Amino acid sequence: MPTRIAALGYHQPEHRLTNEDLSGMVETSDAWIRQRTGIVTRHIAREESVADLATAAAGKALAAAGLGPAEIGQVVVATCSAIDRVPSIAAEVAGRLGIQGAVAFDLNNGCAGFTTALAVADHAVRAGAARHALVVGAEKMSDVTDYTDRSTCVLLGDGAGAAVVGPAAQPGIGPVVWGSDPTARDAVRLRGDWHPRFAQDGQKVFRWATTALAPLAREACERAGYAPGELGAIVAHQANLRIVEALARQLDAPGAVVATDVVTSGNTSAASVPLALAKLVERGEVTPGTPTLLFAFGGGLSWAGQVVRCP
């Protein structure tokens, strides 16, 4: 059974943390941050939890799809920043939205969490295990940020994005290309007793992302039956503007809109791809049916990506 993304939704906290704000907290500057990351501002949740962010985004996606809670058979929340382990954030979202009887679970694949979860939902719907699935990427990275470390605190933000996956007449979600390189698993870390702190080997991640990812992204295009030049949009994990732009150049897709939500949202880990995609659709920068590459990467080191048609 072919599948598609039927609808999207997103949510970000109202409070914004600017580069100027950060320059008063650590030894940094607006110019230093922009030059190295491209980030200007990021959203920070003061009172909202990961479950609050996820539920808000999921509710919007469900409403946009025109579906009731009884029509959802699977809820998957991709997150690496949730404090609560049991019940899962997915179970919390399902309960708040009145979704009864659906399988609900969290998935942690770092920044590649949403595209991994999207593939899991795609497989479940295609196999007939669920009629519709609700997939959410939600992070409160401010909970795990060390605001004394200028190399990481300038990167991270909070937010959530969601998608409803359902059956389709024509394929709308392409085959996933996913994997990991566990020999480099320590390059991105979130370890220790709660309260852990995010850490990474920034140079190692940058070199890997700008050299290893393009062939994998091309493979995702090929498996979906597209040449990169046929893409209408590229939505990569919003880790760093330099990485996003490098991947787009290497793919050689001159007609594609390239999502750059990182500039105003920062790195929101598993939330970054659905946030950026939902905003492109909301602003009308892509039209329904536009072939769009989703590709995310991060801790593990892991990656997952697929070509989808925009709702």
Side-chain angles (χ1 to χ4, degrees):
M1 177 190 299
T3 64
R4 68 184 179 109
I5 294 177
L8 298 161
Y10 73 93
H11 175 75
Q12 291 179 285
E14 290 185 10
H15 179 66
R16 293 174 182 264
L17 186 68
T18 67
N19 291 348
E20 288 78 9
D21 295 331
L22 284 166
S23 68
M25 300 164 62
V26 292
E27 186 181 349
T28 190
S29 68
D30 177 61
W32 189 91
I33 297 170
R34 288 185 188 232
Q35 181 182 12
R36 288 162 177 78
T37 71
I39 299 170
V40 177
T41 186
R42 64 289 291 149
H43 294 253
I44 302 297
R46 288 175 162 172
E47 302 296 334
E48 294 169 288
S49 66
V50 174
D52 293 333
L53 299 170
T55 302
K60 292 174 183 176
L62 193 60
L67 297 175
E71 296 174 273
I72 300 298
Q74 182 183 71
V75 181
V76 188
V77 174
T79 184
C80 67
S81 60
I83 296 174
D84 294 336
R85 297 295 186 261
V86 177
S88 66
I89 301 300
E92 187 70 29
V93 170
R96 294 187 189 188
L97 295 179
I99 298 170
Q100 298 290 327
V103 60
F105 58 92
D106 293 349
L107 184 155
N108 179 4
N109 199 22
C111 301
F114 177 81
T115 45
T116 303
L118 182 63
V120 169
D122 166 49
H123 297 165
V125 174
R126 284 199 285 122
R131 179 66 175 173
H132 295 92
L134 185 57
V135 186
V136 188
E139 302 283 18
K140 189 176 180 181
M141 297 304 292
S142 60
D143 262 353
V144 296
T145 299
D146 179 356
Y147 284 102
T148 68
D149 177 9
R150 74 167 186 169
S151 68
T152 57
C153 73
V154 302
L155 300 173
L156 305 172
D158 303 334
V164 174
V165 175
Q170 300 295 328
I173 300 176
V176 67
V177 171
W178 53 8
S180 66
D181 178 6
T183 64
R185 62 190 179 279
D186 288 332
V188 181
R189 304 173 298 283
L190 186 51
R191 284 180 171 160
D193 296 332
W194 202 261
H195 212 284
R197 289 291 182 264
F198 175 88
Q200 68 174 1
D201 182 336
Q203 288 300 316
K204 185 173 185 177
V205 173
F206 183 85
R207 287 193 300 270
W208 174 75
T210 54
T211 57
L213 294 182
L216 298 168
R218 289 193 197 96
E219 183 182 350
C221 294
E222 291 167 4
R223 294 198 64 191
Y226 293 96
E230 296 176 287
L231 294 173
I234 297 172
V235 183
H237 168 46
Q238 304 291 293
N240 178 309
L241 185 60
R242 293 164 63 200
I243 293 175
V244 170
E245 292 178 338
L247 178 60
R249 285 196 304 271
Q250 291 167 22
L251 284 176
D252 190 22
V257 175
V258 179
T260 57
D261 188 52
V262 65
V263 175
T264 56
S265 297
N267 179 346
T268 56
S269 187
S272 80
V273 166
L275 268 174
L277 177 62
K279 289 181 182 181
L280 287 183
V281 171
E282 181 181 67
R283 294 193 298 260
E285 293 184 41
V286 290
T287 56
T290 298
T292 300
L293 172 68
L294 309 182
F295 203 88
F297 51 90
L301 291 169
S302 61
W303 61 86
Q306 58 273 98
V307 176
V308 304
R309 287 190 172 274
C310 289

